[in-house]
Amino acid sequence: MSAPNLSARERSVCQQFCEFTGTSLDVAARCLKSNSWNIHQALEAFWERPEAFASAAPPVDMDALHKLFEKYKEEDSEAVGLDGLIALCADLDVAPDDIRMLVLCFNLQVKSGVHWTRAEFLSGMAAIGCDSVAKIKAAFSSMQADLAAPARFKAFYHYAFDVSRQEGQKVLDLGTAIQLWRMLLHDKFVHLERWCAYMANDYGKSINKDTWLLTLDFALQADEKLEKIDLDNSAWPIVIDEFVEHFRANPPP
């Protein structure tokens, strides 16, 4: 049963299942259907044998996949570099900074957004069942749909920090962080633009991983007036404390 064919009730149960397990909607639907849509039974069955419900990627033509890699790899190199990725983006009809490319990187589990090794390319594409540009295009919708599961999105958000850092750096450039926040949190953070403006104009520093990760928690908890944010009994990073204080002292009209 594919996710688009679920009833409203079934989709709701699937989303609960995804929150507990971090699986995709398709895996949740398959497990729940085999357990008569009883979420407790389905969770027990899943944790007992998770491999039984894993989505099997469609078979790929490895010869075609090797040719695809050869098309985009750099000359005299065993990796797809920046020029190859720009060419791939052109063939996929997406901009290099389109969120779909970050989603693709996440699904391929490449360590760099601008340097995909042969091993990463081949194993990643095989894992998602893609051996052609057309298949990658077709896979975008399901890869993005999987991010509806909160645990899956959280893993994606965490990955975005690591893959977007400059080589050798432990922190994320502030401009890159702001670009990513606007890309990833546009429908999740009610004060996104106020936050980005504050970070650019008042904070002005690179973003460490702790701040990056807790910004997601803050975004998901933030209400219209930030009344639910407890600064006294929560261990927020200092920049979040300062933003909340600034916001409360200068509320929107």
Side-chain angles (χ1 to χ4, degrees), residues 91-167:
D91 290 344
L92 290 170
D93 296 321
V94 298
D97 60 354
D98 190 298
I99 189 173
R100 287 173 291 181
M101 289 305 296
L102 185 57
V103 173
L104 178 59
C105 286
F106 174 58
N107 279 269
L108 298 182
Q109 283 298 294
V110 294
K111 294 180 180 179
S112 168
V114 294
H115 183 88
W116 300 0
T117 67
R118 179 185 289 272
E120 289 174 331
F121 187 94
L122 297 179
S123 63
M125 290 296 181
I128 62 174
C130 294
D131 53 25
S132 68
V133 168
K135 288 183 180 179
I136 299 172
K137 281 184 178 182
F140 276 139
S141 59
S142 61
M143 289 190 290
Q144 288 184 280
D146 282 348
L147 298 179
R152 181 71 170 168
F153 179 82
K154 187 173 185 178
F156 172 55
Y157 180 87
H158 286 202
Y159 172 84
F161 178 90
D162 291 326
V163 79
S164 301
R165 288 178 299 169
Q166 293 185 3
E167 186 176 358

Side-chain angles (χ1 to χ4, degrees), residues 31-243:
C31 188
L32 284 159
K33 184 181 180 184
S34 66
N35 286 277
S36 303
W37 293 94
N38 183 307
I39 190 168
H40 300 294
Q41 291 180 11
L43 286 169
E44 287 182 7
F46 177 81
W47 291 124
E48 184 176 343
R49 290 186 62 220
E51 70 280 0
F53 302 99
S55 294
V60 296
D61 182 333
M62 289 307 297
D63 286 339
L65 190 50
H66 277 280
K67 289 178 181 177
L68 192 65
F69 175 79
E70 292 293 331
K71 178 179 180 180
Y72 297 111
K73 82 178 188 70
E74 299 299 306
E75 187 176 356
D76 299 324
S77 171
E78 284 296 291
V80 178
L82 184 58
D83 290 342
L85 288 168
I86 291 174
L88 175 61
C89 288
D91 290 344
L92 290 170
D93 296 321
V94 298
D97 60 354
D98 190 298
I99 189 173
R100 287 173 291 181
M101 289 305 296
L102 185 57
V103 173
L104 178 59
C105 286
F106 174 58
N107 279 269
L108 298 182
Q109 283 298 294
V110 294
K111 294 180 180 179
S112 168
V114 294
H115 183 88
W116 300 0
T117 67
R118 179 185 289 272
E120 289 174 331
F121 187 94
L122 297 179
S123 63
M125 290 296 181
I128 62 174
C130 294
D131 53 25
S132 68
V133 168
K135 288 183 180 179
I136 299 172
K137 281 184 178 182
F140 276 139
S141 59
S142 61
M143 289 190 290
Q144 288 184 280
D146 282 348
L147 298 179
R152 181 71 170 168
F153 179 82
K154 187 173 185 178
F156 172 55
Y157 180 87
H158 286 202
Y159 172 84
F161 178 90
D162 291 326
V163 79
S164 301
R165 288 178 299 169
Q166 293 185 3
E167 186 176 358
Q169 296 294 311
K170 293 184 178 180
V171 296
L172 190 61
D173 174 76
L174 179 59
T176 302
I178 289 174
Q179 181 182 12
L180 286 170
W181 280 324
R182 285 180 169 142
M183 182 187 296
L184 303 179
L185 302 181
H186 66 93
D187 59 347
K188 299 181 186 298
F189 190 5
V190 65
H191 300 298
L192 176 60
E193 287 306 317
R194 183 82 179 263
W195 168 258
C196 290
Y198 179 84
M199 296 302 284
N201 301 325
D202 294 82
Y203 185 68
K205 303 175 186 177
S206 298
I207 304 301
N208 63 37
K209 192 162 189 176
D210 184 57
T211 297
W212 174 262
L213 299 183
L214 287 172
T215 296
L216 175 61
D217 295 338
F218 174 60
L220 297 177
Q221 294 179 36
D223 56 296
E224 287 286 346
K225 297 182 179 180
L226 295 184
E227 294 174 331
K228 297 179 181 179
I229 302 299
D230 185 354
L231 298 183
D232 296 323
N233 300 302
S234 300
W236 294 112
I238 292 175
V239 64
I240 291 180
D241 288 345
E242 292 176 344
F243 172 75

